[in-house]
Amino acid sequence: MIGFMRILAFILYILGIFLLLKLEPLEVIQELSKLFDSKTHLKDRILLAQGRKKKNIFYLLIEETQNILKLNGKEQDFPKVCILSIVLAVVGLLFGFSISNYFIVPVLCMGMCTIPFVYIKFLGIRLKKQQTEELETALSIITSSYIRCENIVMAIEENKEYLNHPVKEVFDQFVLQANLVNPDIKKLLNNLKVQIDSTVFQEWCDAIIACQDDGALKSTLLPIVKKLSNIRLVSVRLDALLYAPVKEFISMAILLVGNVPLMYVINRTWFEILVYHTAGKLVLAISAAVIFVSGINVIKLSKPIEYKR
């Protein structure tokens, strides 16, 4: 109870500092989030490029969250996600102290702070699938128009009304720059290539760039677009297999957590050992750690199918 009161006093102390200095929590989080965008040292960048050094799992989660929000046009919501993460971490901290289980305190604190990032990453899987479907439609109609007129800007302009989010904004920006800013189509296509994270789209952009020098190469465009159709067909067939690990994880997590109150009903002695004794507290902490780590790994297994060159 004393530990709980100290944590509560610390939180009130931090809130008091914010009020006295008239600081906006969102602005503070935005400044802190810039730390993740800072460039790494040259040595670290070389090791990462060589595959001899891997990024921290929490850094990767934060980086992927930023990319997903940016892809969805909601990068301004990243500070809110960080605030929610901090709030959940504090809730986990207070819950651990309230049950006097000091083993589970760091586990809940670290695990619950990752929940918003893991959730957005799971939503990013659906967004990636939607992006592939919209990209298939967009590239199909744009390619057909380009083969007819051999002008990529005109081909996109003719079909802008048929494009949907999240690819519409990318092509709209390309047309705007081509007409008003920079007439260098090759340079604009190279910039366009990195706007969408898709190997097939990047291959299509390379083929369009090659067509600017040799119009006969436009025959290579349709086979590239067909790869997206193949991805969609395979994805439809394997959807059940892709989401099977998620369903199994949710079932096992519910069974594991549900066993604790179940013991209270079935055998009060077992429940007291689990909650009040040191060995039982350690078992609860290990179980919580397994749930959080397994959740992150399950999301990795559920990523959508992609074509690799």
Side-chain angles (χ1 to χ4, degrees):
M1 189 65 182
I2 296 176
F4 175 81
M5 295 302 295
R6 286 177 179 175
I7 295 296
L8 184 60
F10 175 75
I11 294 172
L12 294 174
Y13 174 74
I14 296 297
L15 291 175
I17 291 176
F18 274 89
L19 292 174
L20 286 173
L21 299 178
K22 297 180 179 180
L23 297 174
E24 290 290 337
L26 284 176
E27 293 181 0
V28 174
I29 295 296
Q30 282 177 339
E31 292 298 322
L32 291 174
S33 66
K34 291 179 181 178
L35 296 174
F36 298 105
D37 296 328
S38 59
K39 295 182 178 179
T40 55
H41 295 293
L42 180 60
K43 180 180 178 181
D44 294 333
R45 292 165 65 184
I46 293 172
L47 291 175
L48 285 171
Q50 293 177 342
R52 293 163 56 191
K53 181 178 181 179
K54 295 184 178 179
K55 294 182 179 179
N56 184 277
I57 186 171
F58 294 107
Y59 183 90
L60 283 174
L61 267 178
I62 293 171
E63 194 177 55
E64 289 176 0
T65 300
Q66 288 178 310
N67 293 334
I68 292 168
L69 291 175
K70 185 177 180 181
L71 181 64
N72 203 28
K74 295 183 178 180
E75 58 267 26
Q76 71 277 4
D77 290 341
F78 181 71
K80 297 178 184 178
V81 176
C82 293
I83 290 177
L84 179 60
S85 174
I86 293 172
V87 170
L88 289 176
V90 172
V91 170
L93 196 71
L94 295 177
F95 179 77
F97 279 114
S98 67
I99 62 175
S100 301
N101 189 339
Y102 301 106
F103 297 112
I104 207 172
V105 167
V107 176
L108 289 179
C109 186
M110 296 296 292
M112 293 189 70
C113 78
T114 62
I115 290 177
F117 301 104
V118 173
Y119 177 70
I120 290 178
K121 184 175 180 180
F122 183 72
L123 291 181
I125 294 173
R126 295 177 59 187
L127 181 63
K128 185 74 174 178
K129 188 176 178 181
Q130 178 190 354
Q131 182 194 67
T132 302
E133 293 174 355
E134 294 297 337
L135 200 58
E136 179 191 357
T137 303
L139 295 189
S140 296
I141 57 179
I142 291 173
T143 299
S144 299
S145 295
Y146 178 74
I147 291 174
R148 174 178 50 81
C149 66
E150 296 188 358
N151 186 321
I152 186 60
V153 178
M154 184 184 298
I156 295 174
E157 284 183 324
E158 289 177 352
N159 299 283
K160 280 198 302 182
E161 59 186 77
Y162 304 112
L163 305 182
N164 298 312
H165 178 81
V167 301
K168 178 178 174 58
E169 294 81 359
V170 176
F171 285 109
D172 284 345
Q173 184 181 9
F174 172 82
V175 172
L176 183 65
Q177 290 179 343
N179 290 331
L180 301 177
V181 180
N182 187 356
D184 188 348
I185 301 300
K186 287 185 179 181
K187 185 175 181 180
L188 290 178
L189 285 169
N190 277 312
N191 293 334
L192 177 68
K193 183 169 67 172
V194 298
Q195 296 299 314
I196 297 178
D197 183 20
S198 170
T199 308
V200 177
F201 177 71
Q202 292 166 3
E203 185 180 356
W204 181 83
C205 289
D206 288 334
I208 292 289
I209 293 172
C211 288
Q212 304 307 303
D213 296 323
D214 186 358
L217 294 176
K218 63 185 180 181
S219 60
T220 62
L221 295 174
L222 288 177
I224 295 173
V225 176
K226 191 177 179 181
K227 293 177 182 179
L228 289 172
S229 301
N230 294 336
I231 291 174
R232 177 174 53 82
L233 292 174
V234 173
S235 180
V236 168
R237 294 172 184 172
L238 298 181
D239 259 353
L241 292 176
L242 287 173
Y243 288 101
V246 178
K247 295 176 182 177
E248 291 178 6
F249 166 75
I250 293 174
S251 301
M252 295 305 297
I254 291 174
L255 288 173
L256 183 59
V257 175
N259 273 331
V260 178
L262 189 62
M263 283 186 183
Y264 182 82
V265 177
I266 296 176
N267 193 316
R268 190 70 59 87
T269 304
W270 290 0
F271 177 79
E272 290 177 355
I273 293 174
L274 190 63
V275 175
Y276 300 116
H277 287 234
T278 303
K281 292 178 179 179
L282 187 59
V283 169
L284 286 177
I286 294 173
S287 299
V290 169
I291 289 175
F292 288 123
V293 174
S294 299
I296 295 174
N297 289 324
V298 162
I299 298 299
K300 288 182 180 179
L301 292 175
S302 304
K303 60 183 180 180
I305 296 171
E306 295 181 17
Y307 178 82
K308 298 293 183 182
R309 281 196 280 183

